[in-house]
Amino acid sequence: MSKPRLSVVVTRRLPEAVETRLCELFDVTLRDSDEPMTREELAAAVREADVLVPTVTDTIDAPLIGQAGDRLKLIANYGAGVDHIDVATARQRGVLVSNTPGVLTDDTADMTMALILAVLRRMSEGLAVMQADEWNGWAPNAFLGGRVGGRRLGILGMGRIGQAVARRATAFGMQVHYHNRRRLRPEQEAALDATWWESLDQMVARMDVISINCPATPSTFHLMNARRLKLLKPEAVIVNTSRGEVIDENALTRMLRAGEIAGAGLDVYEHGTQANPRLRELRNVVLLPHMGSATREGRMEMGEKVIINIKTFDDGHRPPDQVVPSML
């Protein structure tokens, strides 16, 4: 006699092939709408499901986990970041947490380089002129940006994505520097031709471009605060494809408006979808709607990892991408 199939609740619309495969393997409740679940809907899901498949738009905090029924045993996150999940409380309740690391590394690194290029080469300004049909032809001094090659890039967070950014930046002729919680091994540094800075303050004061590639944790909240942003050179630019909370967005906005920082490229924001409205007024700022990982290939691979984590758990084994508090 076969065992009952796991009850799985998916909080957002996923790629059709991923949803279909989930339905083939488990007893799945899919989301008809692509709107995020309400708090009440999430509470009902954790009470009824064996497995919850949330995304970054869902807040799975201690009060919500406290409402979970005895059935909930796995939170299989559709995404690499888990700062929206209280992993410690889940662990205390005997609920495992898994994520989807690695599959979005190249996509996010590509977007990081795209933002660096867009800001330095004033692409959004050129695009705005073309869309408004206001271009009067080529001119020697029109839309003069800065050359990428030869600039110093300071990477904040040298994990998978930070290292992928370093490889791309080197190909563009940039000089790679980094600050990380732990220094890379000598052979890794040599392969990336990267210079390590123990002091973040000392690094940011010397860089032409800062790239934020660290996760959101209590220790990285406002890591780029007003004091540290003021260390940047006036001609420096800052790019963030990680988590918005790492930068004090109000301080950044004030400095950009005052001309104390040359430009910024942001794919994430401190308050979720609510970017500081004053940022939209600035010509030296490129704003994107959290597109860093948005490729068809990446979304499919995320789904495949979710399925593997659930299936491995269902087979009585530890999910290969289990997250524990000590990793955060």
Side-chain angles (χ1 to χ4, degrees):
M1 182 172 154
S2 61
K3 66 177 181 178
R5 300 213 298 180
L6 283 179
S7 170
V8 177
V9 174
V10 181
T11 68
R12 295 295 296 268
R13 293 294 305 274
L14 303 183
E16 184 177 316
V18 174
E19 292 184 340
T20 299
R21 186 57 180 152
L22 282 168
C23 290
E24 290 171 348
L25 295 170
F26 314 110
D27 182 8
V28 181
T29 301
L30 297 175
R31 183 78 169 151
D32 291 329
S33 166
D34 200 31
E35 295 296 319
M37 279 188 170
T38 65
R39 186 74 172 179
E40 292 74 21
E41 289 173 323
L42 283 172
V46 298
R47 285 194 297 266
E48 299 165 4
D50 299 311
V51 180
L52 182 72
V53 180
T55 73
V56 68
T57 60
D58 304 307
T59 300
I60 315 299
D61 54 17
L64 186 77
I65 295 171
Q67 300 181 58
D70 294 336
R71 294 181 59 178
L72 185 67
K73 295 301 179 185
L74 174 64
I75 299 172
N77 189 55
Y78 182 82
V82 293
D83 48 289
H84 57 295
I85 301 172
D86 190 326
V87 178
T89 297
R91 187 176 179 85
Q92 291 170 3
R93 291 289 303 266
V95 179
L96 303 182
V97 177
S98 65
N99 65 343
T100 62
V103 297
L104 304 177
T105 298
D106 287 332
D107 299 329
T108 306
D110 287 346
M111 189 61 81
T112 300
M113 286 305 304
L115 281 171
I116 292 171
L117 289 164
V119 176
L120 288 176
R121 297 301 304 273
R122 301 174 62 179
M123 290 185 186
S124 61
E125 295 175 65
L127 178 61
V129 166
M130 294 303 294
Q131 290 181 328
D133 195 20
E134 295 175 351
W135 185 44
N136 296 317
W138 182 88
N141 294 314
F143 302 109
L144 296 181
R147 180 177 292 168
V148 176
R151 290 181 185 259
R152 292 189 180 96
L153 170 66
I155 298 174
L156 178 47
M158 203 61 147
R160 292 186 184 94
I161 295 173
Q163 292 179 44
V165 171
R167 289 190 290 271
R168 285 156 173 76
T170 299
F172 276 86
M174 301 186 82
Q175 299 171 31
V176 175
H177 299 249
Y178 77 98
H179 173 82
N180 200 50
R181 184 170 52 178
R182 298 183 182 88
R183 186 171 183 175
L184 299 180
R185 297 191 302 274
E187 62 270 23
Q188 291 177 295
E189 278 189 3
L192 296 170
D193 195 16
T195 300
W196 180 65
W197 292 83
E198 183 176 5
S199 168
L200 178 57
D201 286 358
Q202 291 179 9
M203 184 185 80
V204 299
R206 292 164 171 81
M207 296 299 110
D208 302 305
V209 181
I210 296 293
S211 176
I212 307 297
N213 299 108
C214 60
T217 68
S219 63
T220 63
F221 178 79
H222 280 192
L223 193 59
M224 292 301 296
N225 54 24
R227 181 194 66 80
R228 195 162 274 137
L229 287 168
K230 287 184 179 297
L231 298 176
L232 289 171
K233 299 187 294 186
E235 62 270 25
V237 304
I238 188 166
V239 167
N240 189 3
T241 55
S242 177
R243 287 291 186 264
E245 300 93 327
V246 178
I247 301 178
D248 182 337
E249 193 170 295
N250 285 332
L252 175 65
T253 303
R254 288 194 300 269
M255 293 182 66
L256 285 164
R257 289 171 64 88
E260 297 172 333
I261 299 176
L266 306 175
D267 188 45
V268 289
Y269 308 94
E270 184 174 348
H271 302 291
T273 60
Q274 303 301 314
N276 191 314
R278 292 178 297 170
L279 287 172
R280 300 191 187 96
E281 304 167 3
L282 301 175
R283 293 187 300 174
N284 58 340
V285 175
V286 178
L287 304 178
L288 295 178
H290 204 160
M291 293 170 57
S293 62
T295 67
R296 286 182 288 273
E297 297 87 348
R299 294 288 190 254
M300 284 295 299
E301 290 172 7
M302 287 167 65
E304 290 166 3
K305 280 216 170 232
V306 168
I307 292 168
I308 290 170
N309 281 317
I310 299 175
K311 186 67 172 68
T312 304
F313 170 78
D314 193 29
D315 291 340
H317 305 291
R318 179 180 182 270
D321 299 308
Q322 182 178 345
V323 179
V324 296
S326 61
M327 299 168 58
L328 305 178

